[in-house]
Amino acid sequence: MLAWQVPYLGWRHCPAELSEFEISRFFTFEPEVHRAIRSRYKDPLRLGVALQLGFLTMCGRTLHEFQRVPAELLKHLGEQMEIPAPDIATLRALYKNRRATLFEHQAWSIEFLGFMRFEMTDAPKILPALRDVVKAGVNGDPLLTSARRLLHEYRFVIPGTRRLGSLVQLAVQSVEHEVLAAIDRKIPLHIRTQWLEALYSTQPDSEAALLEWLREPPGSFSPSSIERQSKKVK
């Protein structure tokens, strides 16, 4: 996957603007795709299906909101499907009071492109790769971005925030448990106990424990205070 696509992963709505390259890359279909759409759907429905296919390829999710669809994209899809150039009102009218049609288009697009909806029972399939990202020191929003990228590469529909967060948390906890197990194996209990006592002990010249001192920004301390704390640890 190219880096410029990554920011789009996980979007639920169409970007307000797309470049000619992005429209060409994600919303221009091969002849076999045209044949598949034409063999299944009549003219009024082809536009919605084509939009779902391109959006799923670009963002890794199905399109739910039609508030913003660039006019250039609608024109391009109309030419592809050989129907009059539509507008956003056409899309709203297409699915208004016909939610089943929207869901059917989404399901067909997922199946046609070989994607699968992600469930937490699928976590073992992606967890090893995501654990490697965690071990590399990636966390926060970059870790969520990496999870979306991996899900897309493994052909999973990117889930919502809650399920994505649960997947990331599972990976982090798995790595933490592995690290703690390694510490238990390699470092004797009495040594670990000494370290913990030192970390939580209050320093003579401060009300803060050594652990809090270590968390402070480096610029907050003078060389002499750093030397005193180093001797204390030893």
Side-chain angles (χ1 to χ4, degrees):
M1 177 182 297
L2 297 176
W4 57 265
Q5 184 184 353
V6 173
Y8 287 127
L9 296 180
W11 282 40
R12 290 178 59 88
H13 56 82
C14 196
E17 295 182 1
L18 288 171
S19 67
E20 291 184 8
F21 173 77
E22 290 165 335
I23 291 175
S24 175
R25 172 67 176 79
F26 297 112
F27 296 92
T28 299
F29 307 112
E30 298 294 331
E32 58 267 24
V33 180
H34 284 266
R35 289 193 292 269
I37 294 175
R38 291 176 184 279
S39 66
R40 185 177 180 91
Y41 297 103
K42 297 180 180 180
D43 285 355
L45 300 178
R46 289 173 187 167
L47 177 69
V49 175
L51 187 58
Q52 290 289 349
L53 284 174
F55 188 82
L56 178 58
T57 303
M58 180 176 71
C59 298
R61 299 188 73 172
T62 52
L63 182 61
H64 289 268
E65 301 177 10
F66 297 92
Q67 299 304 315
R68 294 182 178 178
V69 179
E72 296 82 0
L73 174 57
L74 293 174
K75 179 181 178 182
H76 178 79
L77 290 175
E79 293 172 351
Q80 289 249 329
M81 297 296 105
E82 298 182 351
I83 59 176
D87 54 35
I88 188 63
T90 305
L91 284 175
R92 294 196 189 101
L94 175 63
Y95 293 119
K96 186 178 181 181
N97 299 324
R98 299 172 64 182
R99 301 297 291 178
T101 301
L102 172 62
F103 297 147
E104 199 278 331
H105 285 184
Q106 293 171 342
W108 185 84
S109 299
I110 291 170
E111 181 180 2
F112 182 81
L113 292 176
F115 278 75
M116 300 171 286
R117 292 193 182 276
F118 179 81
E119 302 293 343
M120 287 307 296
T121 53
D122 296 310
K125 300 175 184 177
I126 193 173
L127 204 55
L130 190 56
R131 277 168 43 87
D132 289 341
V133 177
V134 175
K135 290 179 181 179
V138 179
N139 54 48
D141 288 342
L143 181 56
L144 291 171
T145 298
S146 295
R148 295 187 186 99
R149 177 179 56 79
L150 288 170
L151 285 163
H152 193 265
E153 291 176 353
Y154 279 69
R155 310 298 287 179
F156 283 110
V157 177
I158 297 172
T161 303
R162 180 178 299 179
R163 196 173 300 174
L164 183 68
S166 296
L167 174 63
V168 168
Q169 184 179 21
L170 185 62
V172 171
Q173 291 175 344
S174 176
V175 172
E176 288 177 345
H177 291 163
E178 180 181 319
V179 171
L180 290 173
I183 292 173
D184 288 343
R185 291 193 305 270
K186 299 293 184 180
I187 304 175
L189 177 60
H190 71 279
I191 298 295
R192 285 183 273 132
T193 301
Q194 291 176 9
W195 287 356
L196 287 173
E197 289 175 351
L199 285 171
Y200 286 99
S201 63
T202 302
Q203 302 307 294
D205 57 349
S206 173
E207 295 182 358
L210 176 59
L211 181 60
E212 295 301 320
W213 178 85
L214 292 171
R215 289 174 175 170
E216 289 294 329
S220 301
F221 305 100
S222 64
S224 59
S225 66
I226 294 175
E227 182 179 357
R228 290 197 303 272
Q229 297 291 357
S230 298
K231 290 179 179 178
K232 179 68 176 179
V233 175
K234 293 178 181 179

